[in-house]
Each structure stands twice: as C-alpha cells, then as structure tokens.
Amino acid sequence: MAFVKFEEVSLAYEEGGALAIKDISLSVQQNEFIAVVGPSGCGKSTLMKLVSGLSEPTSGYVYIDGRQIGGPQKCIGMAFQASNLLPWRTTLENVMLPLEIVQPYRSQLRRKRKEFEAMAMELIERVGLKGWEHKYPWELSGGMQQRASICRALIHKPQLLMLDEPFGALDAFTREELWCMLQDLWQEQPFTVILVTHDLREAVFLADTVYVMSKGPGQILVKRDIAIERPRTLAVTYSEPFAAQVHVLREHIGSIRKS
Ligand SMILES: Nc1ncnc2c1ncn2[C@@H]1O[C@H](COP(=O)(O)OP(=O)(O)O)[C@@H](O)[C@H]1O
Ligand SMILES: [Mg+2]
C-alpha cells in the first residue's frame, strides 16, 4: 500500500478560478524518496500544502497511510528554502521546538526534558553541528541554518519528511554537502521523503523516483526511476549513468518550456 497517494487531484485557489494543479495521481511508497521537479509556478508547493493538510483538493483525494487527509498532519516534518529558525532561540532550542508542540512529546516534555535534549543533541551531532548548539541563528552560516532546520524537521521522528527547495539558497559546495548529509540520515533510519526542487542534479542524486511537472496548471508529465546504487557519492555525479539521467530530465523540462 502506498504511504502517500494522490488520486486525480486538482486544485483551484479561487472557486471557479484557474487550476493550480490538474489531475495529479501519484503514489509514494513507505520510505521511498521522491523528488518533484518543474518550472516555477507549476504547483510544487501546492502539492506540499495538500499533503500537509494546509489546502484541500477541489477535486480528487489525497491519502496518507490509507487515510484521507483532514487538517494538519503530525506525522510530517517540513523544511523550506528559508530555514525559518526562531532568532531568539539557540540551535538546540530551535531543534526542540516540535517537541513542545507535537504529542506525545508535548505532555512528556517536562518529565523527559533531559532525555529529549540528548535526542536533539544526537541529531545535532549527526549533521555536524556539535559545538553550535548554544549559538543563535545569526551566528550560523546559511548551510548550518539549513542543517538545524532539517534536525528540527526530524526531531519528532516523522514518518514523512517534506522538503520544499531546502537547499535553493545555498552555494553549490554547501548544497552538495547537505545532499550527502540528508542521504546519510535517510539511509540510517529511513522515512518517506517528498523533495521539491528545480535542481535536476539534486533530484537525481537524492531520489528513488523523480516526477516532472508541466507548467501551470501543473500535471505530472514524466515519472523516472533512478536506479543508481546507494550510497551515492559526489564522485557518482560525474559518472556517465548519472549524467544520462540528468540529461533525460533536462530534455523533458526543455520541451515543457518550449510548449
Ligand atoms: N495562496 C494562493 N492563492 C492563489 N493562488 C496561489 C496561491 N498559492 C499559489 N498560487 C498559484 O498557484 C500556482 C502554483 O503555485 P505554487 O504551488 O506555489 O508553484 P511552485 O511551488 O511550483 O512555484 C501559481 O500560479 C501560483 O500563482
Ligand atoms: Mg514553490
């Protein structure tokens, strides 16, 4: 059974208005890593809002774990292009935030604070931020802020991680480091991932399956399986099979832009 399932989903933001996405059907298996690529305005963030329960389809159905979505979901972690760290909180305090909000952690927090802090520190260490846990966001580089933001998205052990262009504002070197970090986290303790990006290399590096969307109203044009062995290394990005995958996606995107 699919973990996330879209069944002929369309959405218009205004009643009777233009469709932002049209007839989208797709299935994401548990612990699958998918990437959605497409031109700006094609409805990628709209897809994310549908999965997180922030928007409802105009027609069609969205399911998580076999249940139709009604309202905000707590089994989800999210990170965006802007890290959205709270400036008055340290790294550790930012990472702990979901534990103050999401049950069952919320009601256990007072009793288990030490244990939860240790959990947060373990994650902080895993992403290479040890020593930075008591710093404030403005003391961190952009890449470090995104690392912290991903820790915050994962601290409550969500079954589904949703990433909306999380590395879009970073320089190329930092971006590639974070691809590796994310792949490591996911391989160690798998969860389902929906990554939205317009970086085709990023999609091919990280995803099991890449979906290409058309420009608005967004539809799924192509689904490609990326059968490159894991763990994928940055060296792999210079290999022929990798370049071939990126090239095929590039051609699909190119043909959308011309049409
Ligand atoms: N809250 C909103 N109200 C009205 N229109 C919106 C809203 N959010 C997005 N749209 C429109 O829906 C379309 C898809 O937007 P979006 O999902 O943000 O695309 P993407 O993330 O791929 O850039 C665009 O035409 C955008 O202008
Ligand atoms: Mg967007």
Side-chain angles (χ1 to χ4, degrees), residues 141-178:
S141 68
M144 292 166 121
Q145 290 178 19
Q146 271 328 46
R147 287 173 199 264
S149 164
I150 287 173
C151 288
R152 186 179 56 184
L154 291 174
I155 188 70
H156 59 299
K157 302 190 167 64
Q159 289 173 282
L160 175 62
L161 176 65
M162 299 213 298
L163 300 171
D164 195 345
E165 307 194 8
F167 311 132
L170 304 175
D171 67 80
F173 301 107
T174 305
R175 197 181 311 152
E176 292 179 355
E177 278 169 22
L178 295 209

mmCIF file of all heavy atoms in Angstrom, residues 141-178:
data_model
loop_
_atom_site.group_PDB
_atom_site.id
_atom_site.type_symbol
_atom_site.label_atom_id
_atom_site.label_comp_id
_atom_site.label_asym_id
_atom_site.label_seq_id
_atom_site.Cartn_x
_atom_site.Cartn_y
_atom_site.Cartn_z
ATOM 1 N N SER A 141 26.156 29.944 9.635
ATOM 2 C CA SER A 141 26.134 30.173 8.186
ATOM 3 C C SER A 141 24.810 29.660 7.628
ATOM 4 O O SER A 141 24.070 28.938 8.308
ATOM 5 C CB SER A 141 27.288 29.410 7.534
ATOM 6 O OG SER A 141 27.053 28.017 7.640
ATOM 7 N N GLY A 142 24.521 29.995 6.383
ATOM 8 C CA GLY A 142 23.286 29.532 5.738
ATOM 9 C C GLY A 142 23.176 28.013 5.738
ATOM 10 O O GLY A 142 22.125 27.449 6.009
ATOM 11 N N GLY A 143 24.291 27.356 5.441
ATOM 12 C CA GLY A 143 24.296 25.894 5.406
ATOM 13 C C GLY A 143 24.023 25.301 6.783
ATOM 14 O O GLY A 143 23.297 24.316 6.921
ATOM 15 N N MET A 144 24.610 25.923 7.811
ATOM 16 C CA MET A 144 24.386 25.441 9.180
ATOM 17 C C MET A 144 22.934 25.657 9.582
ATOM 18 O O MET A 144 22.333 24.816 10.259
ATOM 19 C CB MET A 144 25.312 26.170 10.153
ATOM 20 C CG MET A 144 26.769 25.811 9.968
ATOM 21 S SD MET A 144 27.752 27.021 10.851
ATOM 22 C CE MET A 144 28.605 25.964 11.949
ATOM 23 N N GLN A 145 22.374 26.770 9.182
ATOM 24 C CA GLN A 145 20.960 27.025 9.500
ATOM 25 C C GLN A 145 20.074 25.955 8.859
ATOM 26 O O GLN A 145 19.122 25.476 9.476
ATOM 27 C CB GLN A 145 20.540 28.406 8.995
ATOM 28 C CG GLN A 145 21.183 29.541 9.775
ATOM 29 C CD GLN A 145 20.809 30.917 9.231
ATOM 30 O OE1 GLN A 145 19.830 31.070 8.515
ATOM 31 N NE2 GLN A 145 21.601 31.912 9.566
ATOM 32 N N GLN A 146 20.409 25.565 7.631
ATOM 33 C CA GLN A 146 19.605 24.529 6.977
ATOM 34 C C GLN A 146 19.798 23.170 7.655
ATOM 35 O O GLN A 146 18.865 22.391 7.765
ATOM 36 C CB GLN A 146 19.933 24.410 5.486
ATOM 37 C CG GLN A 146 19.151 25.270 4.520
ATOM 38 C CD GLN A 146 17.710 25.604 4.868
ATOM 39 O OE1 GLN A 146 17.358 25.972 5.972
ATOM 40 N NE2 GLN A 146 16.835 25.491 3.911
ATOM 41 N N ARG A 147 20.998 22.902 8.117
ATOM 42 C CA ARG A 147 21.213 21.654 8.873
ATOM 43 C C ARG A 147 20.315 21.644 10.111
ATOM 44 O O ARG A 147 19.664 20.638 10.414
ATOM 45 C CB ARG A 147 22.679 21.539 9.319
ATOM 46 C CG ARG A 147 23.640 21.204 8.201
ATOM 47 C CD ARG A 147 25.087 21.272 8.692
ATOM 48 N NE ARG A 147 25.989 21.406 7.558
ATOM 49 C CZ ARG A 147 26.623 20.387 6.978
ATOM 50 N NH1 ARG A 147 26.532 19.181 7.463
ATOM 51 N NH2 ARG A 147 27.389 20.588 5.919
ATOM 52 N N ALA A 148 20.299 22.777 10.819
ATOM 53 C CA ALA A 148 19.475 22.873 12.032
ATOM 54 C C ALA A 148 18.000 22.726 11.681
ATOM 55 O O ALA A 148 17.231 22.052 12.388
ATOM 56 C CB ALA A 148 19.731 24.207 12.730
ATOM 57 N N SER A 149 17.611 23.324 10.581
ATOM 58 C CA SER A 149 16.216 23.265 10.156
ATOM 59 C C SER A 149 15.790 21.814 9.844
ATOM 60 O O SER A 149 14.667 21.392 10.150
ATOM 61 C CB SER A 149 16.056 24.191 8.952
ATOM 62 O OG SER A 149 14.887 23.929 8.266
ATOM 63 N N ILE A 150 16.720 21.051 9.275
ATOM 64 C CA ILE A 150 16.418 19.643 8.980
ATOM 65 C C ILE A 150 16.365 18.820 10.268
ATOM 66 O O ILE A 150 15.509 17.948 10.423
ATOM 67 C CB ILE A 150 17.394 19.088 7.925
ATOM 68 C CG1 ILE A 150 16.988 19.705 6.579
ATOM 69 C CG2 ILE A 150 17.366 17.561 7.862
ATOM 70 C CD1 ILE A 150 17.903 19.426 5.431
ATOM 71 N N CYS A 151 17.224 19.141 11.221
ATOM 72 C CA CYS A 151 17.122 18.487 12.536
ATOM 73 C C CYS A 151 15.746 18.751 13.142
ATOM 74 O O CYS A 151 15.104 17.853 13.689
ATOM 75 C CB CYS A 151 18.169 19.026 13.508
ATOM 76 S SG CYS A 151 19.835 18.511 13.162
ATOM 77 N N ARG A 152 15.320 20.002 13.075
ATOM 78 C CA ARG A 152 14.020 20.360 13.650
ATOM 79 C C ARG A 152 12.890 19.603 12.954
ATOM 80 O O ARG A 152 11.916 19.195 13.579
ATOM 81 C CB ARG A 152 13.802 21.872 13.545
ATOM 82 C CG ARG A 152 12.534 22.346 14.240
ATOM 83 C CD ARG A 152 12.355 23.843 14.129
ATOM 84 N NE ARG A 152 12.353 24.276 12.747
ATOM 85 C CZ ARG A 152 12.296 25.548 12.356
ATOM 86 N NH1 ARG A 152 12.269 26.509 13.255
ATOM 87 N NH2 ARG A 152 12.295 25.856 11.082
ATOM 88 N N ALA A 153 13.046 19.396 11.646
ATOM 89 C CA ALA A 153 12.010 18.679 10.899
ATOM 90 C C ALA A 153 11.955 17.200 11.266
ATOM 91 O O ALA A 153 10.940 16.541 11.066
ATOM 92 C CB ALA A 153 12.244 18.844 9.396
ATOM 93 N N LEU A 154 13.080 16.672 11.804
ATOM 94 C CA LEU A 154 13.157 15.222 12.055
ATOM 95 C C LEU A 154 13.068 14.838 13.527
ATOM 96 O O LEU A 154 12.951 13.659 13.854
ATOM 97 C CB LEU A 154 14.466 14.663 11.479
ATOM 98 C CG LEU A 154 14.567 14.641 9.953
ATOM 99 C CD1 LEU A 154 15.971 14.200 9.528
ATOM 100 C CD2 LEU A 154 13.512 13.713 9.347
ATOM 101 N N ILE A 155 13.127 15.827 14.423
ATOM 102 C CA ILE A 155 13.278 15.529 15.853
ATOM 103 C C ILE A 155 12.117 14.693 16.407
ATOM 104 O O ILE A 155 12.301 13.860 17.287
ATOM 105 C CB ILE A 155 13.467 16.836 16.681
ATOM 106 C CG1 ILE A 155 13.816 16.518 18.127
ATOM 107 C CG2 ILE A 155 12.239 17.725 16.641
ATOM 108 C CD1 ILE A 155 15.168 15.945 18.339
ATOM 109 N N HIS A 156 10.922 14.897 15.885
ATOM 110 C CA HIS A 156 9.783 14.140 16.416
ATOM 111 C C HIS A 156 9.574 12.828 15.646
ATOM 112 O O HIS A 156 8.511 12.230 15.700
ATOM 113 C CB HIS A 156 8.515 14.999 16.428
ATOM 114 C CG HIS A 156 8.110 15.507 15.074
ATOM 115 N ND1 HIS A 156 8.913 16.320 14.312
ATOM 116 C CD2 HIS A 156 6.992 15.314 14.350
ATOM 117 C CE1 HIS A 156 8.295 16.602 13.180
ATOM 118 N NE2 HIS A 156 7.135 15.995 13.164
ATOM 119 N N LYS A 157 10.613 12.397 14.930
ATOM 120 C CA LYS A 157 10.607 11.136 14.186
ATOM 121 C C LYS A 157 9.384 10.993 13.272
ATOM 122 O O LYS A 157 8.624 10.020 13.362
ATOM 123 C CB LYS A 157 10.685 9.940 15.142
ATOM 124 C CG LYS A 157 11.918 9.965 16.027
ATOM 125 C CD LYS A 157 12.077 8.644 16.775
ATOM 126 C CE LYS A 157 13.429 8.484 17.425
ATOM 127 N NZ LYS A 157 13.752 9.439 18.484
ATOM 128 N N PRO A 158 9.191 11.973 12.383
ATOM 129 C CA PRO A 158 8.040 11.915 11.484
ATOM 130 C C PRO A 158 8.212 10.764 10.483
ATOM 131 O O PRO A 158 9.342 10.399 10.159
ATOM 132 C CB PRO A 158 8.088 13.258 10.757
ATOM 133 C CG PRO A 158 9.543 13.620 10.753
ATOM 134 C CD PRO A 158 10.076 13.117 12.066
ATOM 135 N N GLN A 159 7.094 10.233 10.034
ATOM 136 C CA GLN A 159 7.184 9.180 9.014
ATOM 137 C C GLN A 159 7.427 9.775 7.644
ATOM 138 O O GLN A 159 7.881 9.091 6.733
ATOM 139 C CB GLN A 159 5.877 8.393 8.981
ATOM 140 C CG GLN A 159 5.677 7.521 10.201
ATOM 141 C CD GLN A 159 4.297 6.920 10.159
ATOM 142 O OE1 GLN A 159 3.303 7.576 10.460
ATOM 143 N NE2 GLN A 159 4.222 5.674 9.746
ATOM 144 N N LEU A 160 7.070 11.058 7.511
ATOM 145 C CA LEU A 160 7.181 11.714 6.213
ATOM 146 C C LEU A 160 7.922 13.034 6.357
ATOM 147 O O LEU A 160 7.557 13.876 7.183
ATOM 148 C CB LEU A 160 5.769 11.980 5.659
ATOM 149 C CG LEU A 160 5.661 12.766 4.366
ATOM 150 C CD1 LEU A 160 6.333 12.029 3.213
ATOM 151 C CD2 LEU A 160 4.191 13.034 4.033
ATOM 152 N N LEU A 161 8.968 13.203 5.561
ATOM 153 C CA LEU A 161 9.703 14.472 5.546
ATOM 154 C C LEU A 161 9.395 15.191 4.242
ATOM 155 O O LEU A 161 9.535 14.608 3.164
ATOM 156 C CB LEU A 161 11.210 14.197 5.650
ATOM 157 C CG LEU A 161 12.127 15.421 5.563
ATOM 158 C CD1 LEU A 161 11.911 16.361 6.750
ATOM 159 C CD2 LEU A 161 13.598 15.003 5.477
ATOM 160 N N MET A 162 8.977 16.436 4.340
ATOM 161 C CA MET A 162 8.687 17.211 3.137
ATOM 162 C C MET A 162 9.647 18.388 3.049
ATOM 163 O O MET A 162 9.769 19.181 3.986
ATOM 164 C CB MET A 162 7.254 17.710 3.178
ATOM 165 C CG MET A 162 6.286 16.539 3.233
ATOM 166 S SD MET A 162 4.805 16.926 2.389
ATOM 167 C CE MET A 162 4.312 18.263 3.394
ATOM 168 N N LEU A 163 10.304 18.477 1.913
ATOM 169 C CA LEU A 163 11.342 19.483 1.725
ATOM 170 C C LEU A 163 10.997 20.316 0.502
ATOM 171 O O LEU A 163 10.926 19.789 -0.608
ATOM 172 C CB LEU A 163 12.694 18.779 1.523
ATOM 173 C CG LEU A 163 13.159 17.875 2.668
ATOM 174 C CD1 LEU A 163 14.389 17.070 2.247
ATOM 175 C CD2 LEU A 163 13.464 18.698 3.912
ATOM 176 N N ASP A 164 10.776 21.606 0.706
ATOM 177 C CA ASP A 164 10.417 22.480 -0.412
ATOM 178 C C ASP A 164 11.620 23.367 -0.747
ATOM 179 O O ASP A 164 11.862 24.356 -0.074
ATOM 180 C CB ASP A 164 9.189 23.323 -0.050
ATOM 181 C CG ASP A 164 8.546 23.963 -1.278
ATOM 182 O OD1 ASP A 164 9.199 23.991 -2.350
ATOM 183 O OD2 ASP A 164 7.398 24.434 -1.165
ATOM 184 N N GLU A 165 12.374 22.956 -1.755
ATOM 185 C CA GLU A 165 13.591 23.659 -2.180
ATOM 186 C C GLU A 165 14.498 24.019 -0.999
ATOM 187 O O GLU A 165 14.915 25.164 -0.856
ATOM 188 C CB GLU A 165 13.210 24.902 -2.979
ATOM 189 C CG GLU A 165 12.277 24.556 -4.117
ATOM 190 C CD GLU A 165 12.122 25.657 -5.160
ATOM 191 O OE1 GLU A 165 12.859 26.647 -5.088
ATOM 192 O OE2 GLU A 165 11.274 25.497 -6.040
ATOM 193 N N PRO A 166 14.829 23.034 -0.179
ATOM 194 C CA PRO A 166 15.530 23.331 1.084
ATOM 195 C C PRO A 166 16.947 23.856 0.883
ATOM 196 O O PRO A 166 17.476 24.527 1.752
ATOM 197 C CB PRO A 166 15.573 21.977 1.788
ATOM 198 C CG PRO A 166 15.560 20.980 0.677
ATOM 199 C CD PRO A 166 14.686 21.578 -0.370
ATOM 200 N N PHE A 167 17.558 23.536 -0.271
ATOM 201 C CA PHE A 167 18.955 23.922 -0.463
ATOM 202 C C PHE A 167 19.085 25.019 -1.517
ATOM 203 O O PHE A 167 20.189 25.365 -1.934
ATOM 204 C CB PHE A 167 19.790 22.691 -0.872
ATOM 205 C CG PHE A 167 19.551 21.501 0.024
ATOM 206 C CD1 PHE A 167 19.294 20.235 -0.509
ATOM 207 C CD2 PHE A 167 19.569 21.636 1.407
ATOM 208 C CE1 PHE A 167 19.073 19.141 0.314
ATOM 209 C CE2 PHE A 167 19.348 20.540 2.240
ATOM 210 C CZ PHE A 167 19.098 19.299 1.693
ATOM 211 N N GLY A 168 17.950 25.564 -1.922
ATOM 212 C CA GLY A 168 17.899 26.508 -3.039
ATOM 213 C C GLY A 168 18.721 27.768 -2.846
ATOM 214 O O GLY A 168 19.214 28.339 -3.816
ATOM 215 N N ALA A 169 18.883 28.198 -1.596
ATOM 216 C CA ALA A 169 19.580 29.466 -1.369
ATOM 217 C C ALA A 169 21.059 29.266 -1.033
ATOM 218 O O ALA A 169 21.749 30.218 -0.705
ATOM 219 C CB ALA A 169 18.887 30.235 -0.245
ATOM 220 N N LEU A 170 21.539 28.036 -1.110
ATOM 221 C CA LEU A 170 22.918 27.769 -0.681
ATOM 222 C C LEU A 170 23.865 27.721 -1.878
ATOM 223 O O LEU A 170 23.450 27.448 -3.005
ATOM 224 C CB LEU A 170 22.976 26.428 0.056
ATOM 225 C CG LEU A 170 22.028 26.300 1.261
ATOM 226 C CD1 LEU A 170 22.084 24.884 1.818
ATOM 227 C CD2 LEU A 170 22.381 27.319 2.337
ATOM 228 N N ASP A 171 25.157 27.962 -1.613
ATOM 229 C CA ASP A 171 26.135 27.830 -2.698
ATOM 230 C C ASP A 171 26.291 26.357 -3.067
ATOM 231 O O ASP A 171 25.915 25.467 -2.306
ATOM 232 C CB ASP A 171 27.478 28.443 -2.273
ATOM 233 C CG ASP A 171 28.112 27.656 -1.153
ATOM 234 O OD1 ASP A 171 28.724 26.604 -1.425
ATOM 235 O OD2 ASP A 171 27.978 28.075 0.016
ATOM 236 N N ALA A 172 26.845 26.119 -4.243
ATOM 237 C CA ALA A 172 26.888 24.761 -4.790
ATOM 238 C C ALA A 172 27.642 23.773 -3.898
ATOM 239 O O ALA A 172 27.220 22.631 -3.739
ATOM 240 C CB ALA A 172 27.516 24.789 -6.186
ATOM 241 N N PHE A 173 28.734 24.221 -3.278
ATOM 242 C CA PHE A 173 29.521 23.296 -2.446
ATOM 243 C C PHE A 173 28.726 22.882 -1.209
ATOM 244 O O PHE A 173 28.651 21.710 -0.860
ATOM 245 C CB PHE A 173 30.832 23.950 -2.007
ATOM 246 C CG PHE A 173 31.676 24.365 -3.164
ATOM 247 C CD1 PHE A 173 31.815 25.704 -3.491
ATOM 248 C CD2 PHE A 173 32.306 23.410 -3.950
ATOM 249 C CE1 PHE A 173 32.583 26.085 -4.576
ATOM 250 C CE2 PHE A 173 33.078 23.789 -5.047
ATOM 251 C CZ PHE A 173 33.207 25.130 -5.359
ATOM 252 N N THR A 174 28.137 23.882 -0.562
ATOM 253 C CA THR A 174 27.364 23.614 0.644
ATOM 254 C C THR A 174 26.172 22.725 0.299
ATOM 255 O O THR A 174 25.850 21.783 1.024
ATOM 256 C CB THR A 174 26.867 24.951 1.242
ATOM 257 O OG1 THR A 174 28.001 25.784 1.444
ATOM 258 C CG2 THR A 174 26.147 24.742 2.551
ATOM 259 N N ARG A 175 25.540 23.018 -0.816
ATOM 260 C CA ARG A 175 24.380 22.244 -1.247
ATOM 261 C C ARG A 175 24.755 20.759 -1.370
ATOM 262 O O ARG A 175 24.066 19.885 -0.867
ATOM 263 C CB ARG A 175 23.902 22.786 -2.595
ATOM 264 C CG ARG A 175 22.499 22.372 -2.953
ATOM 265 C CD ARG A 175 22.097 22.925 -4.308
ATOM 266 N NE ARG A 175 22.376 24.362 -4.420
ATOM 267 C CZ ARG A 175 22.640 24.983 -5.565
ATOM 268 N NH1 ARG A 175 22.679 24.314 -6.699
ATOM 269 N NH2 ARG A 175 22.869 26.273 -5.573
ATOM 270 N N GLU A 176 25.878 20.496 -2.015
ATOM 271 C CA GLU A 176 26.283 19.105 -2.221
ATOM 272 C C GLU A 176 26.615 18.419 -0.897
ATOM 273 O O GLU A 176 26.313 17.236 -0.710
ATOM 274 C CB GLU A 176 27.455 19.040 -3.203
ATOM 275 C CG GLU A 176 27.007 19.446 -4.612
ATOM 276 C CD GLU A 176 28.129 19.431 -5.641
ATOM 277 O OE1 GLU A 176 29.298 19.204 -5.266
ATOM 278 O OE2 GLU A 176 27.812 19.632 -6.830
ATOM 279 N N GLU A 177 27.194 19.164 0.029
ATOM 280 C CA GLU A 177 27.458 18.585 1.362
ATOM 281 C C GLU A 177 26.142 18.181 2.026
ATOM 282 O O GLU A 177 26.045 17.137 2.651
ATOM 283 C CB GLU A 177 28.151 19.605 2.267
ATOM 284 C CG GLU A 177 29.647 19.706 2.060
ATOM 285 C CD GLU A 177 30.225 20.925 2.792
ATOM 286 O OE1 GLU A 177 29.590 21.428 3.752
ATOM 287 O OE2 GLU A 177 31.304 21.376 2.383
ATOM 288 N N LEU A 178 25.158 19.022 1.866
ATOM 289 C CA LEU A 178 23.873 18.741 2.523
ATOM 290 C C LEU A 178 23.129 17.587 1.844
ATOM 291 O O LEU A 178 22.387 16.870 2.499
ATOM 292 C CB LEU A 178 22.999 19.998 2.603
ATOM 293 C CG LEU A 178 23.516 21.140 3.477
ATOM 294 C CD1 LEU A 178 22.362 21.961 4.047
ATOM 295 C CD2 LEU A 178 24.383 20.688 4.626
#
